[in-house]
């Protein structure tokens, strides 16, 4: 079952020096209960897409077009008070800078309680506190009964991240958007936190949209993956299919860029060239200036996302233009 349907979403930043088309016509489905990974180089629009789902794109950014259907209703059209009911309740988010999500002057417990009460005013403070303790236990914080009375600075980086996850899970969201939730944490804690999210996903039947640079993490945890390049979704499919047989030359380049794969073992082979300026992207396929396989139409015609054989397999590249397209 599809939980979230993003259709032709456009999110632009109206900056002094031009309009930055950070997300420019992205369509994507997130299914109920699935672990979906979104990858792509820095600056390709991943966070902008994640923020747009909760209508939290900061100015000068604005949704410039498209729809985001959640249970069949376009959440981009909802009045702000209805959106506030969804945000932090049915859809919640772990932001790219998680420590900024914690308020230093309130205890961890108070912050969880506040999140619960904001959406469930009928719950008593006592019950909310009990739930806060339960949540801290759920995310693997030992001594939860005592630690709800502590402040964020009394928590280690990994424990703070778990607390942020506890807040995000406080109201049993149907969709959790996790934007680089483990950046700045060491790899052991990273693995613990992702394993935890995966367990909670199964237990709570929640969908996760994980935004990451890390292909290893995508390989290990996600069911499906979408690859973004310069504001566009260029490839999507089951993770196993995309990683073992990438179709788009950009995906092929990204996979070649991880140590031990493609190029020389243990060496990171970068894709030559740089991500284009999104205020003035190249015409045609945005990847064409860097693409080793470009041919005639690539610098003029924009490739559409077309279906390929294989479950939910799609790619936007002129190499795969079917006879019908
Ligand atoms: N406030 C802003 N004003 C103008 N441009 C912005 C703003 N925020 C982001 N952008 C631009 O939008 C584009 C997409 O940025 P975004 O943060 O969504 O990328 P990202 O894929 O999440 O990158 P990263 O992997 O580094 O987090 C970039 O070109 C960025 O410079
Ligand atoms: Mg980002």
């Amino acid at each position: 079952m599809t939980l979230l349907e993003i259709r032709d979403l456009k999110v632009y930043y109206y900056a002094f020096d031009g309009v930055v088309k950070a997300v420019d016509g992205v369509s994507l489905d997130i299914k109920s209960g699935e672990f979906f990974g979104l990858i792509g180089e820095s600056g390709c629009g991943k966070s902008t897409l994640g923020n747009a789902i909760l209508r939290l794109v900061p100015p000068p950014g604005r949704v410039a077009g498209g729809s985001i259907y959640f249970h069949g209703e376009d959440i981009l059209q909802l009045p702000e008070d209805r959106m506030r009911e969804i945000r932090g309740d049915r859809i919640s988010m772990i932001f790219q800078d998680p420590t900024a999500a914690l308020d230093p002057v309130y205890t961890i417990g108070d912050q969880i309680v506040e999140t619960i009460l904001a959406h469930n005013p009928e719950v008593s403070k006592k019950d909310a506190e009990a739930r806060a303790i339960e949540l801290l236990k759920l995310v693997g914080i030992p001594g939860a009964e005592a630690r709800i009375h502590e402040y964020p600075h009394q928590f280690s980086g990994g424990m703070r991240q778990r607390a942020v996850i506890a807040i995000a899970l406080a109201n049993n969201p149907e969709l959790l958007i996790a934007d680089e939730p483990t950046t700045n944490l060491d790899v052991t804690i990273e693995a613990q936190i992702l394993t935890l999210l995966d367990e909670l996903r199964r237990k709570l039947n929640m969908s996760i949209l994980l935004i990451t640079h890390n292909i290893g993490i995508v390989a290990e945890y996600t069911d499906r993956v979408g690859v973004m390049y310069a504001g566009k979704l260029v490839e999507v499919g089951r993770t196993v299919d995309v990683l073992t047989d990438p179709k788009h030359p950009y995906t092929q380049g990204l996979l070649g860029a991880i140590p031990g794969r493609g190029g020389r073992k243990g060496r990171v082979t970068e894709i030559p060239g740089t991500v284009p300026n999104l205020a003035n992207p190249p015409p045609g396929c945005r990847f064409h200036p860097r693409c080793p396989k470009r041919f005639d139409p690539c610098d003029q015609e924009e490739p559409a996302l077309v279906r390929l054989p294989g479950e939910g397999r799609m790619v936007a590249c002129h190499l795969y233009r079917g006879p019908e397209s």
Side-chain angles (χ1 to χ4, degrees):
M1 204 184 82
T2 304
L3 182 68
L4 193 81
E5 278 179 53
I6 301 174
R7 288 293 173 269
D8 201 24
L9 182 68
K10 298 186 170 123
V11 189
Y12 298 168
Y13 293 96
Y14 296 85
F16 283 123
D17 47 348
V19 179
V20 179
K21 298 179 174 176
V23 174
D24 202 15
V26 169
S27 296
L28 186 69
D29 288 354
I30 310 268
K31 295 175 193 162
S32 199
E34 83 171 338
F35 204 143
F36 189 96
L38 188 63
I39 53 171
E41 282 165 296
S42 187
C44 68
K46 304 181 296 298
S47 294
T48 303
L49 178 72
N51 294 341
I53 297 171
L54 279 175
R55 294 195 0 202
L56 291 176
V57 179
R62 238 183 17 240
V63 172
S67 318
I68 303 178
Y69 297 98
F70 180 61
H71 291 285
E73 188 171 41
D74 184 0
I75 55 179
L76 294 178
Q77 303 302 329
L78 291 179
E80 181 53 30
D81 57 337
R82 290 242 10 244
M83 192 62 212
R84 234 173 298 155
E85 287 169 17
I86 292 179
R87 201 183 288 134
D89 188 46
R90 299 172 70 189
I91 306 178
S92 67
M93 181 150 186
I94 303 171
F95 289 94
Q96 192 159 0
D97 178 8
T99 45
L102 293 172
D103 192 325
V105 303
Y106 292 99
T107 64
I108 298 286
D110 282 347
Q111 297 186 52
I112 302 176
V113 166
E114 191 193 328
T115 307
I116 297 169
L117 295 181
H119 292 281
N120 308 279
E122 75 288 354
V123 172
S124 72
K125 184 135 194 270
K126 192 160 158 278
D127 287 349
E129 252 173 41
R131 168 91 178 127
I133 292 169
E134 188 189 306
L135 281 159
L136 288 187
K137 285 184 179 159
L138 189 71
V139 299
I141 294 184
E145 286 85 352
R147 301 210 75 172
I148 59 160
H149 302 298
E150 292 183 358
Y151 290 87
H153 74 268
Q154 293 171 284
F155 277 48
S156 68
M159 287 296 157
R160 268 202 292 269
Q161 183 60 303
R162 285 165 191 258
V164 168
I165 295 172
I167 293 172
L169 297 176
N171 296 315
N172 286 334
E174 292 161 71
L175 173 64
L176 175 68
I177 303 166
D179 190 355
E180 309 267 4
T182 52
T183 312
N184 306 324
L185 296 179
D186 70 50
V187 286
T188 326
I189 294 173
E190 174 168 73
Q192 280 174 15
I193 287 180
L194 287 163
T195 304
L196 170 73
L197 285 178
D198 197 32
E199 280 169 17
L200 294 172
R201 173 182 68 85
R202 288 167 209 269
K203 212 185 277 178
L204 309 172
N205 190 35
M206 157 178 92
S207 308
I208 300 179
L209 169 59
L210 175 74
I211 297 172
T212 179
H213 289 100
N214 190 323
I215 291 161
I217 286 177
V218 166
E220 186 153 353
Y221 297 97
T222 65
D223 303 313
R224 290 198 307 135
V225 63
V227 182
M228 274 187 83
Y229 183 75
K232 299 272 181 190
L233 187 74
V234 298
E235 180 157 6
V236 64
R238 294 197 315 170
T239 303
V240 48
D241 298 337
V242 174
L243 296 191
T244 53
D245 182 21
K247 297 294 188 193
H248 199 286
Y250 175 64
T251 317
Q252 291 168 356
L254 261 191
L255 295 178
I258 58 168
R261 283 226 206 176
R264 261 197 285 149
K265 203 168 168 46
R267 225 186 109 216
V268 174
T269 42
E270 301 259 309
I271 306 172
T274 51
V275 179
N277 173 0
L278 295 185
N280 186 20
C285 171
R286 291 182 177 187
F287 187 58
H288 87 262
R290 299 169 78 185
C291 184
K293 297 183 178 167
R294 67 172 170 264
F295 61 114
D296 246 1
C298 301
D299 62 353
Q300 288 153 38
E301 274 175 52
E302 195 175 302
L305 199 61
V306 295
R307 205 164 275 290
L308 293 180
E311 196 189 308
R313 200 83 215 264
M314 314 249 273
V315 69
C317 172
H318 290 303
L319 289 170
Y320 305 95
R321 272 206 297 199
E324 76 282 9
S325 57

